Amino acid sequence: PGQLREREVRGGVGAGRGHSLPLSWRPQQPKRKRVANLLVPRLFIMTITTLFSSTDDSGDDDEATTPADKNELHHTLKNLSLKLDDLSTCNDLIAKHGAALQRSLTELDGLKIPSESGEKLKVVNERATLFRITSNAMINACRDFLELAEIHSRKWQRALQYEQEQRVHLEETIEQLAKQHNSLERAFRSAPGRPANPSKSFIEGSLLTPKGEDSEEDEDTEYFDAMEDSTSFITVITEAKEDRYLEAEGALWPLLTGVSPLLWQVLDGASLVPKGSSKVKRRVRIPNKPNYSLNLWSIMKNCIGRELSRIPMPVNFNEPLSMLQRLTEDLEYHHLLDKAVHCTSSVEQMCLVAAFSVSSYSTTVHRIAKPFNPMLGETFELDRLDDMGLRSLCEQVSHHPPSAAHYVFSKHGWSLWQEITISSKFRGKYISIMPLGAIHLEFQASGNHYVWRKSTSTVHNIIVGKLWIDQSGDIEIVNHKTNDRCQLKFLPYSYFSKEAARKVTGVVSDSQGKAHYVLSGSWDEQMECSKVVHSSPSSPSSDGKQKTVYQTLSAKLLWKKYPLPENAENMYYFSELALTLNEHEEGVAPTDSRLRPDQRLMEKGCWDEANTEKQRLEEKQRLSRRRRLEACGPGSSCSSEEEKEADAYTPLWFEKRLDPLTGEMACVYKGGYWEAKEKQDWHMCPNIF
């Protein structure tokens, strides 16, 4: 497909200013019936890595140059500077001699004695000669300056044209390599020498259909090599002895599993869907998603390395929910926290908190569409005290970077708050979504205060293939009252790994570092906990690494995902809760996401009208932002536009405070929203829609 040529190319596809692309490609026409080059995957990875590892900025910096180009540019600038100095000197001389000539002419006019005229005329003639010589020197200097500028202008024009051609060629090459790489993957998977069943653990993953057959959609999936140290511990289950007490298995099972009777009662219904006595009938479906075709690569190829929140996107890439509503969707399995309130042991409570943190990712497995970026000042409330026992409020407190504050109060005895800033980058073949900010959870009765942060989400196969999402990274949950900790590890999906797809493992330990429970499961299906009865180090492996072996009792289910509603594949794969989030409600604030017109039009299937409305709202927001920055004034102490915007905008329902546990500034709920709703007094709300 191409031959590597060592040359520095600046300004290639997706290159942000301030970076250069050290690879370019010179195409060759492949011979007919030529065997596929097995080095293509490595060559492809080298190209993609080199192209997109240096495009992390949003394209706001100055363009970089090579050392040779820098020397040439420096020499050119030096010559131009010298010519400008010559022009400046000539200009000074012209002004000096011109003034002297003017004085001489004035004196000549005042002469009355003819005998003096000859001498004065001689002086005038000399000065006129000097003026003429100086003017000629200036003209020559200007001519040299123009010739030099024209020469370099033609050279720079040719260089710019060359860079534009290279950009187009590089884009075509990347797309071609992506397709060939995908074809080679399919050829490898269908090779005769490949094992028929690489791993039993994939049966529960996405590689097999429920019938156990190979999925047709699997051909377009992208895979990654397994991590060298995917699991830091080994679990061995201790079987319960068969004796006469097994007749009373129902009564003795909590003792056999090592789970306290109270926690057993809590866990016994953990996977059941709580059915509240809601007075409001909620909707169970939305209009089906229209079938609009769109070339994703034609739009995304110009967005490589840029911050996604700064890229205007059509609603074709969205789902009819805002980011505030997606944040509220984390509360779908709130009953885990309701049950955790009754735990007397902090480590047992930690198990349920960990399951809740993992459950928030279960709604993302099929949700590859992008939620709407909230407008600055946009809010979303979830007033479900009657059936869910909680009230939730979100507000968009910053637009660049996009940041949302969230506060939840539960009548069952817990509260949760967070400020999440979404950082997302397009890397060419995938999009990285990195939520930044700490999540706080406090139980009022016990005073246990848990803090954790979210992991990284990645959307793969952006250029070619079926889009799919994965979660990866580590999450540490800390109880700041008891210093108990839970270490969760999200294993990245790999076709060649022996681990189950979307696997999550974890260990719950006390303040002394002693392990009490081992957690296992997958972030899209379920989580289990096993009581640790003994731990010991394993024998060193061939690479010298040593793992911990945990001897545990039988596992108990902590959490299980709810089944999706019927026809969910045509309703953006929304869960039962997600279907109700954008349902129209009376009495909400005028800034509520339910009232956003472009989002409502998209939900109804009017995508063209939604795109028009989206552009209107974005232009209105840009105008408001310019006014805030102008109001900040040039004399402000703000050092950047983002700081000016942050200083100019004050959230309505949240305020910045120093978090004593993390040492960071974060927005926390200051109150007043539910009181304003009760009075229906929204005079303080801005007009953002």
Side-chain angles (χ1 to χ4, degrees):
Q3 184 178 15
L4 188 64
R5 177 166 56 92
E6 294 294 334
R7 189 185 185 278
E8 189 81 5
V9 177
R10 293 173 289 116
V13 52
R17 298 178 224 165
H19 294 283
S20 58
L21 304 180
L23 295 178
S24 66
W25 296 86
R26 176 173 291 172
Q28 290 182 343
Q29 296 298 331
K31 298 180 180 179
R32 294 182 178 179
K33 301 181 180 180
R34 185 177 180 179
V35 180
N37 187 353
L38 295 180
L39 292 179
V40 169
R42 181 181 299 176
L43 210 56
F44 174 77
I45 294 173
M46 289 172 56
T47 307
I48 296 299
T49 303
T50 308
L51 285 175
F52 303 120
S53 63
S54 59
T55 57
D56 294 339
D57 60 294
S58 58
D60 295 332
D61 300 329
D62 294 333
E63 185 176 351
T65 56
T66 62
D69 291 334
K70 288 182 178 179
N71 293 334
E72 181 181 359
L73 181 61
H74 179 73
H75 181 69
T76 302
L77 292 176
K78 184 177 180 180
N79 289 338
L80 292 177
S81 178
L82 292 176
K83 293 299 181 181
L84 286 175
D85 291 339
D86 293 342
L87 288 175
S88 178
T89 302
C90 293
N91 181 66
D92 294 339
L93 291 175
I94 288 174
K96 178 181 178 181
H97 294 303
L101 181 61
Q102 186 65 35
R103 289 194 303 270
S104 298
L105 292 175
T106 302
E107 293 174 358
L108 183 62
D109 291 331
L111 290 179
K112 296 181 179 180
I113 303 175
S115 61
E116 297 180 357
S117 60
E119 184 178 351
K120 291 293 183 181
L121 288 176
K122 182 179 179 181
V123 174
V124 170
N125 187 35
E126 291 176 354
R127 292 181 176 176
T129 302
L130 291 175
F131 185 85
R132 184 177 65 255
I133 295 174
T134 305
S135 300
N136 290 336
M138 184 197 69
I139 293 173
N140 292 334
C142 290
R143 186 183 297 111
D144 294 339
F145 180 87
L146 290 176
E147 289 177 355
L148 185 61
E150 289 177 357
I151 292 173
H152 285 280
S153 176
R154 290 192 296 268
K155 178 180 178 181
W156 290 334
Q157 185 67 29
R158 290 194 300 268
L160 178 60
Q161 183 179 359
Y162 173 78
E163 300 299 346
Q164 291 175 343
E165 294 172 354
Q166 288 295 311
R167 175 192 174 102
V168 175
H169 171 55
L170 209 51
E171 291 174 352
E172 296 172 351
T173 304
I174 292 173
E175 189 171 6
Q176 180 185 7
L177 283 174
K179 294 178 179 178
Q180 293 184 4
H181 176 67
N182 191 263
S183 300
L184 285 175
E185 277 190 335
R186 292 199 300 268
F188 173 78
R189 292 199 294 274
S190 60
R194 181 170 170 264
N197 187 12
S199 175
K200 297 179 182 178
S201 61
F202 285 136
I203 294 178
E204 298 180 359
S206 64
L207 293 181
L208 299 183
T209 62
K211 297 181 180 180
E213 300 175 354
D214 290 339
S215 172
E216 295 179 359
E217 296 176 346
D218 185 48
E219 294 181 353
D220 295 328
T221 306
E222 180 183 9
Y223 305 101
F224 295 88
D225 293 337
M227 300 172 62
E228 294 182 0
D229 187 17
S230 58
T231 308
S232 59
F233 58 86
I234 302 172
T235 305
V236 178
I237 299 177
T238 301
E239 298 294 339
K241 295 182 179 180
E242 296 183 6
D243 51 31
R244 65 180 184 272
Y245 291 105
L246 291 181
E247 297 177 359
E249 183 180 8
L252 295 178
W253 190 246
L255 300 179
L256 295 176
T257 57
V259 180
S260 67
L262 181 58
L263 180 60
W264 179 267
Q265 295 176 5
V266 169
L267 298 181
D268 197 34
S271 62
L272 300 178
V273 180
K275 300 295 183 181
S277 57
S278 176
K279 300 178 182 179
V280 180
K281 185 178 180 180
R282 306 289 176 179
R283 66 180 183 181
V284 295
R285 63 168 293 106
I286 59 175
N288 287 352
K289 177 182 178 181
N291 186 18
Y292 285 101
S293 61
L294 185 68
N295 187 348
L296 179 65
W297 171 247
S298 64
I299 295 178
M300 299 299 285
K301 66 183 180 181
N302 295 321
C303 306
I304 297 176
R306 296 179 61 188
E307 173 67 41
L308 288 187
S309 62
R310 295 177 180 267
I311 300 173
M313 290 285 187
V315 299
N316 305 58
F317 297 122
N318 289 61
E319 62 180 15
L321 288 179
S322 73
M323 192 62 208
L324 302 181
Q325 292 165 315
R326 283 292 294 268
L327 199 60
T328 306
E329 208 175 337
D330 290 352
L331 301 173
E332 181 153 13
Y333 299 95
H334 63 92
H335 66 281
L336 293 173
L337 302 182
D338 298 340
K339 295 175 182 297
V341 172
H342 305 290
C343 291
T344 56
S345 170
S346 60
V347 291
E348 293 174 355
Q349 189 180 70
M350 175 71 82
C351 293
L352 288 168
V353 174
F356 173 78
S357 68
V358 174
S359 70
S360 63
Y361 298 98
S362 63
T363 61
T364 66
V365 61
H366 300 295
R367 305 271 290 278
I368 48 87
K370 174 180 175 289
F372 279 81
N373 288 331
M375 311 291 288
L376 187 61
E378 184 175 335
T379 60
F380 179 74
E381 68 160 66
L382 188 68
D383 192 356
R384 301 285 288 271
L385 280 175
D386 53 349
D387 57 339
M388 296 174 63
L390 57 83
R391 275 179 164 177
S392 169
L393 176 65
C394 291
E395 181 182 1
Q396 188 76 359
V397 297
S398 173
H399 190 64
H400 287 305
S403 180
H406 186 201
Y407 177 76
V408 187
F409 167 78
S410 172
K411 67 180 182 181
H412 296 291
W414 57 268
S415 57
L416 182 147
W417 65 95
Q418 59 182 323
E419 181 186 355
I420 297 297
T421 300
I422 301 297
S423 176
S424 53
K425 289 291 181 68
F426 176 50
R427 308 290 188 177
K429 282 196 68 178
Y430 64 93
I431 293 176
S432 295
I433 303 170
M434 297 150 286
L436 308 176
I439 304 173
H440 294 258
L441 171 64
E442 185 175 23
F443 294 93
Q444 278 78 31
S446 63
N448 289 333
H449 190 149
Y450 299 87
V451 178
W452 70 92
R453 299 174 187 270
K454 286 181 173 288
S455 65
T456 299
S457 302
T458 307
V459 182
H460 296 275
N461 287 350
I462 297 298
I463 296 179
V464 63
K466 179 179 173 58
L467 292 173
W468 60 280
I469 194 167
D470 194 19
Q471 313 291 340
S472 60
D474 298 336
I475 293 180
E476 182 183 45
I477 307 175
V478 181
N479 183 344
H480 285 271
K481 179 182 178 182
T482 63
N483 206 28
D484 298 337
R485 295 176 184 269
C486 176
Q487 301 286 343
L488 290 174
K489 188 177 188 65
F490 289 71
L491 302 182
Y493 183 48
S494 171
Y495 180 75
F496 302 102
S497 173
K498 296 180 180 180
E499 302 289 353
R502 308 177 184 92
K503 183 177 180 180
V504 181
T505 61
V507 177
V508 176
S509 56
D510 58 22
S511 59
Q512 304 300 321
K514 179 183 177 181
H516 288 263
Y517 287 94
V518 170
L519 306 179
S520 61
S522 58
W523 53 264
D524 67 323
E525 287 293 337
Q526 64 181 37
M527 287 296 293
E528 297 176 336
C529 70
S530 303
K531 176 71 175 178
V532 176
V533 296
H534 182 69
S535 62
S536 61
S538 66
S539 301
S541 58
S542 58
D543 56 359
K545 294 183 179 180
Q546 196 174 34
K547 297 183 179 181
T548 302
V549 178
Y550 292 117
Q551 187 176 0
T552 67
L553 300 176
S554 299
K556 179 61 181 177
L557 182 67
L558 283 171
W559 157 78
K560 187 176 180 62
K561 181 186 176 183
Y562 303 152
L564 289 175
E566 184 180 356
N567 195 38
E569 64 276 7
N570 295 321
M571 297 186 296
Y572 309 90
Y573 287 97
F574 282 178
S575 63
E576 288 186 3
L577 176 63
L579 288 173
T580 67
L581 292 180
N582 204 44
E583 186 175 10
H584 181 74
E585 289 189 13
E586 297 292 339
V588 299
T591 55
D592 197 273
S593 298
R594 299 176 180 89
L595 305 178
R596 181 165 176 166
D598 54 347
Q599 186 173 302
R600 181 65 63 186
L601 287 170
M602 183 194 177
E603 182 184 273
K604 293 180 179 179
C606 307
W607 285 17
D608 293 336
E609 295 85 347
N611 278 318
T612 302
E613 192 66 21
K614 185 171 183 288
Q615 293 177 3
R616 181 189 69 82
L617 290 176
E618 290 173 349
E619 181 58 33
K620 182 176 182 179
Q621 181 167 250
R622 282 191 287 267
L623 179 61
S624 299
R625 180 173 181 267
R626 285 195 294 267
R627 289 174 178 172
R628 285 195 305 273
L629 294 180
E630 291 173 358
C632 191
S636 172
S637 59
C638 308
S639 59
S640 66
E641 287 193 359
E642 290 182 359
E643 291 182 2
K644 287 182 179 179
E645 182 175 355
D647 288 350
Y649 179 77
T650 302
L652 195 56
W653 310 110
F654 292 79
E655 61 182 359
K656 283 280 187 182
R657 294 181 189 170
L658 179 65
D659 190 331
L661 298 181
T662 64
E664 302 171 351
M665 294 297 295
C667 283
V668 296
Y669 181 59
K670 64 181 181 181
Y673 180 87
W674 303 109
E675 292 79 4
K677 181 182 180 181
E678 184 178 354
K679 299 177 182 178
Q680 283 298 295
D681 181 13
W682 304 116
H683 72 278
M684 72 294 291
C685 295
N687 179 15
I688 60 175
F689 298 141

